[in-house]
Amino acid sequence: MFTVYNQGKPFPLGATQYHEAQEVKNGKSFTNFALFSSAATAVELCLFDGQKETRLPMVCTDNIWHLAVLGAETGTEYGFRIHGEFANPQKLMLDPYAKAVNGKPDLSTPEAKSWFLLNDHRDNAALAPKAVVIDTQFDWTGDCAPNIPWANSIIYELHVKGFSKLNANIPEALRGTYAGLAHPTNLAYFKALGITAVELLPINFFIDEQHLQAKNLQNYWGYNPLAMFAVEPKYAATDNPLTEFKQMVKALHQAGIEVILDVVFNHTAESEKDFPTFSQRGIDDAHYYWQNAQGEYLNATGCGNTLNLATDAGCQWFIDCLRYWVEDCHVDGFRFDLATVLGRATPDFHAQATLFEKLASDPILQKVKLIAEPWDIGYGGYQVGQFPAYFAEWNDRFRDDMNRFWLWQSGALGAFAERFSGSSDLFAKNDRLPHTSLNFITAHDGFTLRDLVSYNTKHNEANGEENRDGRNENYSYNHGFEGNEIPSSEPNKSTIEQNRFITQASLLMTLLLANGTPMLLAGDEFGHSQQGNNNAYCQDNEITWLNWANFNQPLFNFTAQTIALRKQIASLTADRWWHNGNVQWLNIHGQPMEIANWQDSNTKAFQILLDNRYLLLINGKTVPQTFLLPNQFDWEVVLSSHDITCSSHHFETSDKTFCVLQVKDF
């Protein structure tokens, strides 16, 4: 039975349980509920005991509706009915601060989705997702954040389910779960590989888009959020997803691994204006979404709506959410999807946006890693290098320039050098350091590394969009055969496989030995393929799940060796811009690069001397080349993507080779 305790408090927003002796009545705890809505003329708190619904009118203070209730114990489902000019109290609204949610809406047919339309006047409480009152307490005794310096960070992007779903070394009941990710087998794997942080694709509560439900497909990546404070339950092996998630974080921390969350604060699952409504649109549409003077949504995301984080309510929701994940769940950072939206203040992008200022002044959030995907599809959406200095940014210029160099005909040595040295043309301003260039060759969106060397074109037919979706500019090369699996009848199979290995190795060395912060896509280190699908957002199946049965041990060993080498090179761990004192750019004859050398796109080769100790030989041509090395040192090979031969100070590299030498007996 639910009864009113008192009017409650406007803050904190959401549902908050109180157990302290001085705040209970007749030995019972109470729960405070608070919701922002400037559009509502009245709000009813709806509490559920099975099918029975109790409606309690809420009190308003400065657009915050609040009420304290007895009987709303852990496990109680709740929602809100909003009254007002543009509201529909027949539709149950989900708390934007919900820390757990029961139920995902069926949108597979026009009839099913009509129950969630604001112009429909049937009561949908029996079908609507409901927030759940939960106990967030957890024993963090002994937990210690790794606090890896940016200069020592190596990010590993993975999907919680896909990472371990097919791993036979993980107990079957744990595969594809938070507990599975934290299994000792995986912790040992991360340590052997040498990465320092896992970046998890969205684990916030999300739903499948209606066009996917109609095709019997699922949103695999999770970029369709409905409740940003809530843990996605389908990745849990237990009936307590939040506790399991926290146990995962604690276990990763004990292994010295940081946890970074990929979060979506650019749009929500409510999509277009006339699509199903579940939460913010029905609570306060004008405050939560960018709209023009006619009330039409501005769509800078391609997902039907754009969250307005420039309003006081939107900004507070954003900050409160991040602080919850840091303070209550101990995560170590965030990667922001389509992050240009964060700075849309007018709604054009502004690096001095209020939200950025609040982030800069927040003592909790300035202690964690913040990574921006610095673009969206709106006006002025491409903002690489324009974010505040405390952000690292995904550097797609690194990806494209390096892939064109190794896989296409590009001989742009200047572009290679610029990207490899940290992309100072983009980031060396406003006291920014090289770590702010987050370098990547592949990511969840696009080809895997194996597919990058196995396919000339995308193969997204399984997505049901006639292969129209996904990026067309992959800068890939199949090495003479289209497809990951080469049949034994192919006469050049062994040569093709060898060349693919060499190219993967050269790309991995380029990524992991460049100045800046490297991000490795999970599975690239052992040759995982998505069968040419470069937009596998809706493939929750063996296309995307890492195929551990086809583990390429030599490629894994090579990746781990390259990571270990990175950690030894001072110029890669100092987080400083390269200068004449620690780097020399040499042509293949061992002489300083001159303008003519930089402009010679046919040579497609040069040398980089780092710290007067390490010599990097780059040969991007499809033929062997001979390098004359600086003769003031004696050299030995440390690591090479392919065979080299040497005689005195002459080294002959094979085609498309990246080789690292070091001074003997340094």
Side-chain angles (χ1 to χ4, degrees):
M1 181 177 179
F2 308 111
T3 58
V4 174
Y5 176 47
N6 58 33
Q7 292 184 350
K9 301 180 292 184
F11 297 99
L13 292 165
T16 306
Q17 288 186 305
Y18 291 93
H19 302 283
E20 292 82 355
Q22 67 271 23
E23 294 179 324
V24 299
K25 182 177 182 180
N26 298 327
K28 295 182 179 180
S29 62
F30 70 89
T31 302
N32 189 80
F33 297 87
L35 174 77
F36 167 82
S37 178
S38 65
T41 56
V43 175
E44 293 175 295
L45 170 65
C46 304
L47 301 161
F48 295 87
D49 184 2
Q51 298 299 315
K52 182 181 178 182
E53 177 183 353
T54 299
R55 303 186 187 184
L56 301 173
M58 302 184 78
V59 178
C60 186
T61 302
D62 297 329
N63 295 325
I64 306 293
W65 301 83
H66 50 90
L67 196 67
V69 178
L70 291 169
E73 305 294 341
T74 298
T76 298
E77 296 181 330
Y78 72 97
F80 302 101
R81 294 185 185 272
I82 312 297
H83 298 259
E85 181 180 359
F86 301 106
N88 182 351
Q90 293 297 97
K91 305 303 177 184
L92 189 74
M93 293 296 112
L94 182 68
D95 185 359
Y97 282 73
K99 294 183 176 65
V101 181
N102 282 345
K104 296 200 175 188
D106 178 7
L107 307 174
S108 60
T109 66
E111 169 60 20
K113 69 182 181 182
S114 68
W115 284 90
F116 302 97
L117 301 178
L118 284 179
N119 61 3
D120 180 274
H121 294 286
R122 295 171 293 178
D123 192 309
N124 76 345
L127 303 173
K130 299 177 182 66
V132 183
V133 176
I134 63 170
D135 185 353
T136 62
Q137 296 182 83
F138 181 78
D139 183 7
W140 286 107
T141 302
D143 183 60
C144 183
N147 290 322
I148 307 295
W150 267 115
N152 298 330
S153 294
I154 301 169
I155 312 297
Y156 187 70
E157 188 193 38
L158 65 82
H159 189 285
V160 169
K161 180 177 182 179
F163 183 75
S164 64
K165 183 64 177 176
L166 298 179
N167 192 341
N169 294 320
I170 306 297
E172 187 172 359
L174 301 183
R175 295 174 195 168
T177 68
Y178 304 115
L181 186 62
H183 190 271
T185 297
N186 284 334
L187 300 181
Y189 181 84
F190 296 144
K191 298 296 287 183
L193 181 58
I195 56 96
T196 67
V198 292
E199 181 178 301
L200 309 182
L201 266 69
I203 54 81
N204 310 93
F205 187 94
F206 67 91
I207 65 173
D208 301 324
E209 294 91 332
Q210 58 187 45
H211 75 276
L212 293 181
Q213 293 193 33
K215 297 176 182 177
N216 199 29
L217 293 171
Q218 295 180 326
N219 186 313
Y220 174 67
W221 288 346
Y223 292 100
N224 197 42
L226 185 57
M228 289 300 296
F229 283 75
V231 172
E232 173 53 52
K234 71 178 183 179
Y235 303 146
T238 65
D239 58 3
N240 193 331
L242 179 59
T243 295
E244 185 177 329
F245 176 84
K246 291 178 177 179
Q247 290 169 338
M248 177 200 74
V249 172
K250 189 173 182 180
L252 286 163
H253 282 180
Q254 289 173 344
I257 306 295
E258 293 184 318
V259 179
I260 297 171
L261 301 186
D262 191 339
V263 289
V264 183
F265 285 101
N266 53 73
H267 78 283
T268 76
E270 292 188 304
S271 193
E272 299 177 33
K273 193 90 167 181
D274 57 351
F275 275 44
T277 295
F278 310 106
S279 182
Q280 282 138 306
R281 178 188 294 132
I283 293 170
D284 198 320
D285 190 29
H287 267 80
Y288 278 113
Y289 297 110
W290 278 110
Q291 303 176 47
N292 63 19
Q294 291 72 44
E296 300 167 331
Y297 278 175
L298 303 182
N299 184 10
T301 64
C303 301
N305 62 56
T306 304
L307 278 166
N308 188 345
L309 304 179
T311 65
D312 290 343
C315 186
Q316 181 179 354
W317 172 72
F318 171 84
I319 296 293
D320 288 348
C321 188
L322 297 188
R323 290 193 64 141
Y324 167 73
W325 287 105
V326 173
E327 294 184 295
D328 278 46
C329 301
H330 289 205
V331 303
D332 305 286
F334 304 93
R335 177 268 187 188
F336 299 97
D337 181 63
L338 299 184
T340 296
V341 168
L342 305 185
R344 290 196 175 276
T346 57
D348 292 341
F349 176 86
H350 296 278
Q352 294 77 36
T354 299
L355 182 144
F356 289 150
E357 293 176 354
K358 286 186 177 296
L359 274 176
S361 63
D362 191 290
I364 299 298
L365 300 180
Q366 278 299 306
K367 293 179 181 179
V368 301
K369 290 181 168 67
L370 302 176
I371 303 169
E373 181 186 43
W375 52 77
D376 62 26
I377 67 168
Y379 173 77
Y382 189 76
Q383 293 293 334
V384 174
Q386 304 305 314
F387 276 69
Y390 55 80
F391 275 96
E393 302 179 34
W394 273 29
N395 186 353
D396 64 325
R397 297 278 295 280
F398 183 96
R399 174 197 64 194
D400 292 349
D401 285 342
M402 295 311 193
N403 285 344
R404 282 192 288 256
F405 181 85
W406 288 110
L407 295 162
W408 278 26
Q409 299 303 313
S410 169
L413 298 180
F416 187 106
E418 187 70 76
R419 301 296 152 243
F420 195 75
S421 60
S423 295
S424 61
D425 59 329
L426 300 173
F427 298 104
K429 54 188 175 183
N430 301 325
D431 298 322
R432 302 189 78 171
L433 297 172
H435 79 257
T436 55
S437 174
L438 196 141
N439 303 325
F440 65 104
I441 294 293
T442 58
H444 67 275
D445 186 1
F447 278 152
T448 66
L449 182 62
R450 173 68 187 189
D451 289 352
L452 202 62
V453 301
S454 304
Y455 294 89
N456 284 347
T457 59
K458 64 186 181 182
H459 295 268
N460 299 351
E461 290 80 6
N463 297 352
E465 299 180 40
E466 299 180 349
N467 206 33
R468 294 190 302 266
D469 62 307
R471 191 168 182 255
N472 292 319
E473 298 79 18
N474 297 289
Y475 307 118
S476 60
Y477 174 49
N478 67 16
H479 291 79
F481 182 87
E482 185 73 2
N484 169 54
E485 299 178 6
I486 305 174
S488 57
S489 59
E490 169 59 47
N492 297 318
K493 179 176 180 177
S494 61
T495 300
I496 293 171
E497 284 290 6
Q498 181 187 34
N499 290 338
R500 287 179 176 179
F501 184 96
I502 294 167
T503 304
Q504 289 177 87
S506 294
L507 284 164
L508 285 167
M509 291 180 73
T510 302
L511 169 66
L512 296 168
L513 300 181
N515 204 14
T517 305
M519 184 186 77
L520 180 67
L521 174 64
D524 278 357
E525 73 277 13
F526 66 80
H528 173 66
S529 170
Q530 291 182 167
Q531 310 307 316
N533 194 320
N534 76 346
N535 188 36
Y537 78 103
C538 58
Q539 299 301 319
D540 188 0
N541 50 50
E542 294 188 4
I543 290 177
T544 51
W545 302 340
L546 298 193
N547 188 351
W548 295 91
N550 288 341
F551 193 90
N552 187 324
Q553 188 68 50
L555 186 60
F556 173 85
N557 293 344
F558 185 88
T559 307
Q561 290 169 6
T562 307
I563 290 174
L565 177 60
R566 176 187 178 84
K567 296 176 180 179
Q568 299 173 16
I569 300 177
S571 286
L572 298 179
T573 58
D575 203 12
R576 64 188 181 192
W577 297 108
W578 291 354
H579 51 81
N580 292 338
N582 72 309
V583 63
Q584 295 180 49
W585 305 91
L586 309 174
N587 61 28
I588 63 174
H589 305 296
Q591 300 301 312
M593 291 282 284
E594 298 181 352
I595 293 177
N597 299 130
W598 289 115
Q599 294 177 345
D600 180 7
S601 60
N602 291 322
T603 302
K604 205 172 181 178
F606 63 126
Q607 306 178 64
I608 308 170
L609 179 62
L610 281 177
D611 303 330
N612 281 321
R613 179 179 181 182
Y614 295 98
L615 188 64
L616 285 58
L617 309 185
I618 313 294
N619 177 20
K621 292 200 75 168
T622 55
V623 296
Q625 295 203 68
T626 299
F627 289 77
L628 180 62
L629 310 184
N631 59 17
Q632 67 266 40
F633 302 116
D634 289 327
W635 299 97
E636 61 183 353
V637 177
V638 177
L639 189 66
S640 180
S641 63
H642 196 19
D643 299 332
I644 63 171
T645 58
C646 61
S647 174
S648 183
H649 286 86
H650 291 78
F651 274 66
E652 182 174 315
T653 68
S654 299
D655 58 304
K656 289 195 172 183
T657 301
F658 193 139
C659 178
V660 178
L661 313 176
Q662 71 175 0
V663 178
K664 285 184 179 180
D665 305 320
F666 186 83

